[in-house]
Amino acid sequence: MIIIKNLIKNYISNLSLNDIKNISLQNNINLSSNELDFIYNFIKNNYNNIIDNPSNFNLINYKDKFSNENYLKLDNLINEYKLKYNIK
């Protein structure tokens, strides 16, 4: 797990706003600049907590940061990844 955590840490340290924008567009999510900034800052500041306790993350706590459409799309995307990686 330490190796994976270090890989994620290295990836996050190089993460850019453009990376997040590209990932969102690949998933048919067109983020506003405020939404993009929020996600970027959230990831940069909270990735350790999410890695350590992925099941504790709940997007609904941040619903007010997104348009309704983007919230639903992000929630679906997160749920897909939780299923894919068996996160309960």
Side-chain angles (χ1 to χ4, degrees), residues 13-58:
S13 69
N14 294 311
L15 188 69
S16 70
L17 283 169
N18 201 45
D19 293 330
I20 295 170
K21 183 176 181 178
N22 289 336
I23 292 167
S24 67
L25 291 174
Q26 289 171 357
N27 289 283
N28 196 31
I29 304 170
N30 190 14
L31 298 170
S32 71
S33 60
N34 287 340
E35 292 168 330
L36 185 61
D37 288 338
F38 174 77
I39 292 173
Y40 176 79
N41 289 319
F42 185 87
I43 291 171
K44 289 286 194 171
N45 294 319
N46 298 291
Y47 73 92
N48 274 321
N49 293 334
I50 295 170
I51 292 170
D52 291 338
N53 300 300
S55 60
N56 287 343
F57 175 76
N58 193 338

Side-chain angles (χ1 to χ4, degrees), residues 1-2 7 17-18 21 27 30 51 53 63 66-67 72 77-78 81:
M1 180 66 172
I2 293 172
L7 287 170
L17 283 169
N18 201 45
K21 183 176 181 178
N27 289 283
N30 190 14
I51 292 170
N53 300 300
K63 187 175 183 177
F66 303 101
S67 69
L72 292 173
L77 183 61
I78 290 168
Y81 277 101

